[in-house]
Amino acid sequence: ARTGIPEAVLAETKSVAALSRILSETLERGERMLFTRMTAAQFAALNAAAPGALDYDPVSRTAILGSAPANGLESPICIVSAGTSDAPVALEAARTLAFSGWQAPVIQDVGVAGLWRLMEKIAVIRSHSVIIAVAGMEGALFSVLGGLVPGLVIAVPTSVGYGVSRDGHVALHSALASCAPGIVAVNIDNGFGAACAAMKALRIQG
Amino acid sequence: ARTGIPEAVLAETKSVAALSRILSETLERGERMLFTRMTAAQFAALNAAAPGALDYDPVSRTAILGSAPANGLESPICIVSAGTSDAPVALEAARTLAFSGWQAPVIQDVGVAGLWRLMEKIAVIRSHSVIIAVAGMEGALFSVLGGLVPGLVIAVPTSVGYGVSRDGHVALHSALASCAPGIVAVNIDNGFGAACAAMKALRIQG
Amino acid sequence: ARTGIPEAVLAETKSVAALSRILSETLERGERMLFTRMTAAQFAALNAAAPGALDYDPVSRTAILGSAPANGLESPICIVSAGTSDAPVALEAARTLAFSGWQAPVIQDVGVAGLWRLMEKIAVIRSHSVIIAVAGMEGALFSVLGGLVPGLVIAVPTSVGYGVSRDGHVALHSALASCAPGIVAVNIDNGFGAACAAMKALRIQG
Amino acid sequence: ARTGIPEAVLAETKSVAALSRILSETLERGERMLFTRMTAAQFAALNAAAPGALDYDPVSRTAILGSAPANGLESPICIVSAGTSDAPVALEAARTLAFSGWQAPVIQDVGVAGLWRLMEKIAVIRSHSVIIAVAGMEGALFSVLGGLVPGLVIAVPTSVGYGVSRDGHVALHSALASCAPGIVAVNIDNGFGAACAAMKALRIQG
Amino acid sequence: ARTGIPEAVLAETKSVAALSRILSETLERGERMLFTRMTAAQFAALNAAAPGALDYDPVSRTAILGSAPANGLESPICIVSAGTSDAPVALEAARTLAFSGWQAPVIQDVGVAGLWRLMEKIAVIRSHSVIIAVAGMEGALFSVLGGLVPGLVIAVPTSVGYGVSRDGHVALHSALASCAPGIVAVNIDNGFGAACAAMKALRIQG
Amino acid sequence: ARTGIPEAVLAETKSVAALSRILSETLERGERMLFTRMTAAQFAALNAAAPGALDYDPVSRTAILGSAPANGLESPICIVSAGTSDAPVALEAARTLAFSGWQAPVIQDVGVAGLWRLMEKIAVIRSHSVIIAVAGMEGALFSVLGGLVPGLVIAVPTSVGYGVSRDGHVALHSALASCAPGIVAVNIDNGFGAACAAMKALRIQG
Amino acid sequence: ARTGIPEAVLAETKSVAALSRILSETLERGERMLFTRMTAAQFAALNAAAPGALDYDPVSRTAILGSAPANGLESPICIVSAGTSDAPVALEAARTLAFSGWQAPVIQDVGVAGLWRLMEKIAVIRSHSVIIAVAGMEGALFSVLGGLVPGLVIAVPTSVGYGVSRDGHVALHSALASCAPGIVAVNIDNGFGAACAAMKALRIQG
Amino acid sequence: ARTGIPEAVLAETKSVAALSRILSETLERGERMLFTRMTAAQFAALNAAAPGALDYDPVSRTAILGSAPANGLESPICIVSAGTSDAPVALEAARTLAFSGWQAPVIQDVGVAGLWRLMEKIAVIRSHSVIIAVAGMEGALFSVLGGLVPGLVIAVPTSVGYGVSRDGHVALHSALASCAPGIVAVNIDNGFGAACAAMKALRIQG
Ligand SMILES: Nc1ncnc2c1ncn2[C@@H]1O[C@H](COP(=O)(O)O)[C@@H](O)[C@H]1O
Ligand SMILES: Nc1ncnc2c1ncn2[C@@H]1O[C@H](COP(=O)(O)O)[C@@H](O)[C@H]1O
Ligand SMILES: Nc1ncnc2c1ncn2[C@@H]1O[C@H](COP(=O)(O)O)[C@@H](O)[C@H]1O
Ligand SMILES: Nc1ncnc2c1ncn2[C@@H]1O[C@H](COP(=O)(O)O)[C@@H](O)[C@H]1O
Ligand SMILES: [Mg+2]
Ligand SMILES: [Mg+2]
Ligand SMILES: [Mg+2]
Ligand SMILES: [Mg+2]
Ligand SMILES: [Mg+2]
Ligand SMILES: [Mg+2]
Ligand SMILES: [Mg+2]
Ligand SMILES: [Mg+2]
């Protein structure tokens, strides 16, 4: 899109009627569209009306209307996540990047409780300019990455956890309070927003 | 410094004894240093011990040890603040950038309650790649900027306000919940962190 | 009703038995009644008992007993909402006004992330004395409207959002902390209350 | 001012230097100005620089630059407060109205713990179109007034109280959750904002 | 029971297996028992195992094992509730009292938004020594009663409400912050506890 | 007073001017008065104006105008506190009772961390009908007493503590969530309110 | 495992696909595994794929892959819980210990509302070095135990409760704010973590 | 003391009169005593009354009455802190241990923002059985240590920080939500409690 940010529709809070209208209008205009936070039930209803129009991924809960071809460039962005439970958010970021042509690597399951797993991947991570870091629970991954990599760390706290960490506020606050300077954060579970910010950063001419 | 992030000391929570030790050790090593959140009383005590060593700015509450010469380049970063009350945080960001050689313009008093004042400056703001946006109260400035400028918006919520907005959480949450995609946030009052993130972004090769 | 405020029943937290009793008593007295926050299941049960008695709107979740004829006057009140997801609350306000005879225009989808969409409608909005503004997420719409229109802005925060903005507190606090003076707020999702306040304001003789 | 809302400066969070600059610039332009939340220390410093320029009221913590003559009209707005401790906020509203020419009556000490005191004044209160209701602690005054008067009730919660009611959130939430429909609220301690909203409402042509 | 407080079992958080065990053990000992917060599903399972043993009331969600004969005395306790939605909690208190032999009157729907409804009943209410007051939303009923009746007011906040009053914290805090001295409170939705406290108070010899 | 509840003035949030006016008006009417939460500075100013008129106790921060003679009866109320730090609140309750003629024993320093200290006093405590229990920190005292004594336990949480227990919310919530049925609570630090409730309970004829 | 802490997988937040992959990989490696917080539905799906592989306990929601033979030693750890509703968490701790060979006694239903029940068991409890204390509601059990036993008390707050104690924060804060020195806490409902800490403590050589 | 836990008095919330009484009574009994959280002003007053009796340390704010000789044993406990600002809490733990004879090493300034500094000390830390970890801000140190050392990690969150991390709740929640199993936590700033727990753990015979 004009500002380099993909057109996207947040599906979850919309009625199927409203989503259908958006879908058919976009089809008519011959445009592409990214839908985020789409439930399986919403997809089923939309797919019944317009079979095959949407490429739906149930883990990231994203649907893509129209093709999303890779740009063929080496991705300066990588995605790092703390645990398997964080996959939906990490993949929402990946799908948002893919919608704009970037094939960013997703490095999963490198939470700090097993620091050696992170260390095995640290050279690969350091080779990227922007790191989208995805973590729930206590979010210690953000500070550890922030102290180890020179690139811009964009923290995405997830709502994975229970007890005090239910809903992701602990991970969010850990990102914001981090002693490692230069970490920035987006809303809890907002993989889409992190990907948008990462692509905005790519356009900067230092 | 090595990672492109300035060495900095958060002064506020340290004793004068601890700060003196840091100051003299840094002097001995012949290095430069940035101190943030330094109280007037802390500065007075340090200045008595090492007269003239520190360049202290009472508004931003920063002190600089050693010279901080401008790099002579046009700054791709600008700082935008909503009100005069946000000056301490806006200037903390400016001083952090200056410590690394960047003379970033500071555009103050363009809060959205008077949208026309922001509109008069919008062309200048849009000419920068990274915008450090500083706002307290309800933080509406973040969303408005996010919808108007193509650059990366780094939101710095401030603790300016009373009633529900005391302590800056409303502004912080506004930044995180913004409908304008791609806004990132740092901790409340953390002008230093925003400047560090901005400089990290400058090094990205998109 | 006597004080110019419509008689209304908050349905959601009542048993079907209690609602049936209210419905039949009101029918007996030959009076009109507005039901708010009525679930589809509640309506189905009531409609089975008294088929056709209630005019139910599933989006706003309101049911009207008895006729609600328009008063034929130009509405000095308009309703403005930030996104499609805010429709239930915006329409609750509209139905409450309609119950008292006002046909207020509903201007949807003018959130500040796309400021130009709001600007296209601003002249129409400014031509009204009272603006019921409905927004979730970060609620920046309230401040922007407050700075642009001379009329009374009644903010209705909605519980639309996720992460930090789940449940509507960010939007509520943005309305209360707004730098644009003279904005007033009602409870989260309370379109009914906003409409009541707007009608109270109409009776003022300045 | 242009939109009928007085120009005002929130003093508390500004430096004396910033306030002095605003004061002298306003004096130069020959304009009037209202300052709110000005501390005694701030006033002392400003008064030393420009003796007699400001009319300062220590209870409401407001300062007025320039004359504020009454408009001679019967005030359709009245101010009602629950206790003597709420005086600063009630008087901030009164001074804001006075700055625009309205001499609104202030009915103090009619909290609901002594319902008869309120009942003695209820006829007078009912004779006004807009009621600015000021209360801290549990804020029950808002609901009681909302059920008794036909006018528009603008609730101003105050930060008076201790324990659970410290900081005014209980009173604020009571106003928002009130069962009496049509009550609107402004921020905690925001007498200024309530007065602005009241004056906006006066201009409505129902 | 020994301390004058009924033996009671909080059902909601227990498995059916655990409840069955308690039920059969109590039957064996030939004792009476009160179960609170029992879901319809829990009752159905228990009733299938021991048909007719439990007297279940679906509104208050209480089940009584064994007879609960009235003591034939005039009840010095009355129960007052603000709205129909508060019935479950008001009736939990009534059933707890009935289990101990007291037939306390339940005066419903006298919330302060319609102060006259409360005033019609105030003489009856004043004739009781202990008033169990049940209210959700903003809980203004507590303060109004506290200022009007000489008896001991035991406030039971309910979780009825939405937006800021969801979950009952506003009503609870209103009870605690009340300006009417001598009001005491129990946990949100705790009609059982209020009845226990009321019966403890009955045994006092002043 | 008429309802058996002492007339009292909450001093803390009132100006010296307002307190002086109340004091002289009460003196003129020849009445008695209890002032609570009076700071040492407020007392000093009032005492300078009316030397000796007030009997001030700096620990409980209460001042009594006029005589407060004991009624000579055995007190059915006793006051129990967990630690020495809770003394101000325990003594506020004692002074409020004394103002109405009751000489209630104050049993201090029996927190549950040293359960044996409580056990040494339990027989004395059990001999009273109403127990005002005062505790900060985790408030475990409330549940332990509630399980051991047949009388009515009125819990007064105090704001004594640090970390999670700063401000008294943990102790308050412990009282409300207690598994021991029949405990009632008043606001944090509200020794005055507990004493008022205790005296209301004394008048009950079970 | 290497650090003496059992390998465990938190099941709840993982997809069945992810759990299946972990299960088959572990089976292939011939290793043992503990799954915590596994729902009945997750177990059903896994058991259909690998019938009998998992030993599932529906109360504690744990599944064990591979044998878990007792070590035959007297357990220095015991588990104490306040109520039957706390059984899931108490048993999660017991199963975690059993997975490592310890058969720790579980002493249930000794909450402080019936202090005598606790006292009957106190000698047994005191004979253990580490006490895992499990309690919801107000969590008074932690302080009482902390004052009575010389061993290390590890508090596990549970999310059992309603009103203010919903979600377990009251019990957690009671553990942390306890006046009985030396109590430590783990996250709400984290029986697994408490068992891990207890086993870490067993290896200490004082 | 009898239970192996030092006798200690929390000074901060006590009056000087109360502290003096405790001091002289303890002197009379010829016993030792530890005072925690004693302000400089409290110490000055006590020292004036009993010169030299107390050994006061202004950083940890502890005072020791009587001698505290080292037991000459190698300490199995070590104290690790994230930053210089955490010194008061780390030293409160050290002084509490010293009062009981343990000379525990204090390893400061090893926060995870500079992971290499922690790594330089990790062998020393691993050689201890119990690690008291002290950290404010985001508390990432707890998880990193928990993943690296086999000993029991007792987390002490500190109230060092600003913005979202003001008051220590982020660090506390990070400790509780840590993915590294077996970490236990005490209250914010409670170095005393951590030392007590550590000494309790030393007495365990695994
Ligand atoms: N998952 C997401 N999180 C946050 N914002 C989103 C998400 N998906 C789409 N958006 C943005 O939300 C706005 C869509 O709002 P709507 O008009 O309700 O579809 C657009 O500005 C999108 O760029
Ligand atoms: N310490 C106290 N806590 C709570 N309420 C109090 C206290 N002292 C006095 N009051 C009550 O607060 C009201 C005083 O309000 P005011 O008109 O501001 O003096 C009266 O209803 C008093 O009974
Ligand atoms: N119930 C539980 N609560 C907290 N942590 C757990 C629990 N069960 C397993 N874990 C730990 O959480 C991590 C599991 O992470 P994952 O890779 O998501 O399975 C491991 O470090 C486990 O030791
Ligand atoms: N810094 C501290 N934090 C928590 N508890 C403490 C502290 N210092 C002393 N204590 C404990 O608090 C209790 C002191 O209570 P008190 O009777 O008020 O002195 C004793 O049980 C002490 O062991
Ligand atoms: Mg994580
Ligand atoms: Mg702002
Ligand atoms: Mg919005
Ligand atoms: Mg009030
Ligand atoms: Mg109510
Ligand atoms: Mg206590
Ligand atoms: Mg319990
Ligand atoms: Mg730290």
Side-chain angles (χ1 to χ4, degrees), chain G residues 6-9 32-36 62-64 95-96 99 192:
Chain G
E7 299 285 337
V9 169
R32 302 164 61 233
M33 181 66 78
L34 173 67
F35 295 82
T36 64
T62 50
I64 290 178
R95 288 271 286 182
T96 302
F99 183 75
F192 166 73

Side-chain angles (χ1 to χ4, degrees), chain D residues 112-116 119 136-140 143-144 146-148 162 164-165 170 172-181, chain E residues 112-116 119 136-140 143-144 146-148 162 164-165 170 172-181:
Chain D
V112 301
L115 203 56
W116 63 94
M119 289 311 178
M137 306 293 277
E138 90 287 46
S143 282
V144 172
L148 290 176
Y162 66 91
V164 295
S165 69
V170 178
L172 170 63
H173 289 164
S174 288
L176 292 167
S178 177
C179 297
Chain E
V112 302
L115 203 57
W116 63 93
M119 287 312 178
M137 306 294 276
E138 90 286 45
S143 283
V144 171
L148 290 175
Y162 66 92
V164 295
S165 69
V170 178
L172 169 62
H173 289 166
S174 289
L176 293 167
S178 177
C179 297

Side-chain angles (χ1 to χ4, degrees), chain C residues 60-115:
Chain C
S60 64
R61 303 200 306 155
T62 51
I64 289 178
L65 172 68
S67 63
N71 63 13
L73 300 176
E74 190 85 21
S75 168
I77 304 168
C78 78
I79 299 167
V80 176
S81 84
T84 2
S85 308
D86 301 317
V89 179
L91 296 185
E92 187 188 78
R95 288 269 289 181
T96 302
L97 294 174
F99 183 73
S100 290
W102 296 105
Q103 298 299 113
V106 182
I107 300 169
Q108 298 200 55
D109 238 330
V110 291
V112 301
L115 203 56

Side-chain angles (χ1 to χ4, degrees), chain A residues 39-104:
Chain A
T39 65
Q42 287 176 323
F43 169 67
L46 293 174
N47 200 43
L54 292 174
D55 162 26
Y56 182 67
D57 169 45
V59 177
S60 65
R61 303 198 306 152
T62 51
I64 290 178
L65 173 69
S67 62
N71 62 15
L73 301 176
E74 189 84 22
S75 169
I77 304 169
C78 78
I79 299 167
V80 175
S81 84
T84 3
S85 308
D86 301 317
V89 179
L91 296 185
E92 187 188 79
R95 288 269 288 182
T96 302
L97 294 173
F99 183 75
S100 290
W102 295 105
Q103 299 299 111

Side-chain angles (χ1 to χ4, degrees), chain B residues 174-194:
Chain B
S174 289
L176 293 166
S178 177
C179 297
I183 295 175
V184 293
V186 296
N187 197 7
I188 297 160
D189 290 335
N190 193 1
F192 166 73

Side-chain angles (χ1 to χ4, degrees), chain A residues 7-175:
Chain A
E7 299 285 338
V9 169
L10 189 122
E12 196 176 42
T13 50
K14 295 195 174 63
S15 63
V16 167
L19 291 172
S20 287
R21 205 172 44 236
I22 294 171
L23 178 58
S24 57
E25 285 171 12
T26 316
L27 274 168
E28 254 163 58
R29 286 197 310 268
E31 291 177 3
R32 302 164 61 231
M33 182 65 79
L34 173 67
F35 295 83
T36 64
R37 298 178 75 93
M38 183 180 280
T39 65
Q42 287 176 323
F43 169 67
L46 293 174
N47 200 43
L54 292 174
D55 162 26
Y56 182 67
D57 169 45
V59 177
S60 65
R61 303 198 306 152
T62 51
I64 290 178
L65 173 69
S67 62
N71 62 15
L73 301 176
E74 189 84 22
S75 169
I77 304 169
C78 78
I79 299 167
V80 175
S81 84
T84 3
S85 308
D86 301 317
V89 179
L91 296 185
E92 187 188 79
R95 288 269 288 182
T96 302
L97 294 173
F99 183 75
S100 290
W102 295 105
Q103 299 299 111
V106 182
I107 300 169
Q108 298 200 54
D109 239 330
V110 292
V112 301
L115 203 57
W116 63 93
R117 283 196 304 259
L118 177 60
M119 289 312 179
E120 285 168 18
K121 304 284 173 61
I122 200 68
V124 177
I125 298 171
R126 285 180 59 96
S127 71
H128 292 84
S129 297
V130 184
I131 292 94
I132 295 178
V134 182
M137 304 293 276
E138 90 287 45
L141 179 63
F142 306 133
S143 283
V144 171
L145 277 177
L148 290 175
V149 304
L152 180 66
V153 175
I154 301 176
V156 193
T158 69
S159 58
V160 167
Y162 67 92
V164 296
S165 69
R166 215 182 58 174
D167 296 335
H169 284 89
V170 178
L172 169 62
H173 289 165
S174 289

